[in-house]
Amino acid sequence: MTREIDILVVEPGEAPRPARVEDTLETFQQIVGGPIEAGCYLPQRVMLVCNSLGKNMGLMPNRENPADSRDFIAGTFLLCGFEGEHFASLTPAQQREFQAYFALPGAEGDCE
């Protein structure tokens, strides 16, 4: 039985939206539109997961990369929690924080 987790989905030009999804590779690939890359460990044990080929595929620029302000994330990405080597649900507090953090395209912040 596949478990479900609570995440945030961040699409280009849109505010982050909460979603409850199956915790499977296939679901994550479907959300980001291709192979996934867990790219940035954000504060409060939050993981940014994006399409590893997004730029090569010509996906629309979405947000500034929190780990490198000279770079950007291409295409839709998602935010989830992590526990060890496993993805996990975001808490309501994490959802609120990162909805504000990524509220507008180009929103600034830092990745620790």
Side-chain angles (χ1 to χ4, degrees):
M1 182 173 179
T2 304
R3 70 185 185 120
E4 292 186 339
I5 61 172
D6 296 311
I7 65 169
L8 287 176
V9 177
V10 186
E11 297 173 297
E14 301 291 328
R17 64 177 170 80
R20 185 164 185 83
V21 301
E22 289 186 357
D23 181 18
T24 65
L25 175 63
E26 293 79 16
T27 298
F28 280 33
Q29 288 174 328
Q30 183 177 14
I31 291 168
V32 303
I36 66 167
E37 175 182 343
C40 182
Y41 296 94
L42 297 164
Q44 297 193 33
R45 301 188 61 75
V46 173
M47 174 75 65
L48 188 154
V49 179
C50 63
N51 184 324
S52 64
L53 302 175
K55 290 178 190 164
N56 293 340
M57 294 171 63
L59 297 180
M60 177 182 284
N62 188 340
R63 300 293 200 277
E64 181 179 286
N65 184 336
D68 181 355
S69 63
R70 298 165 297 178
D71 194 15
F72 65 92
I73 301 164
T76 299
F77 64 92
L78 65 92
L79 302 167
C80 62
F82 63 95
E83 296 171 359
E85 295 181 10
H86 302 281
F87 295 127
S89 284
L90 293 172
T91 66
Q94 289 169 322
Q95 287 187 28
R96 285 190 300 274
E97 178 177 344
F98 288 96
Q99 281 178 306
Y101 184 94
F102 288 108
L104 301 172
E108 292 186 18
D110 57 48
C111 182
E112 296 175 1

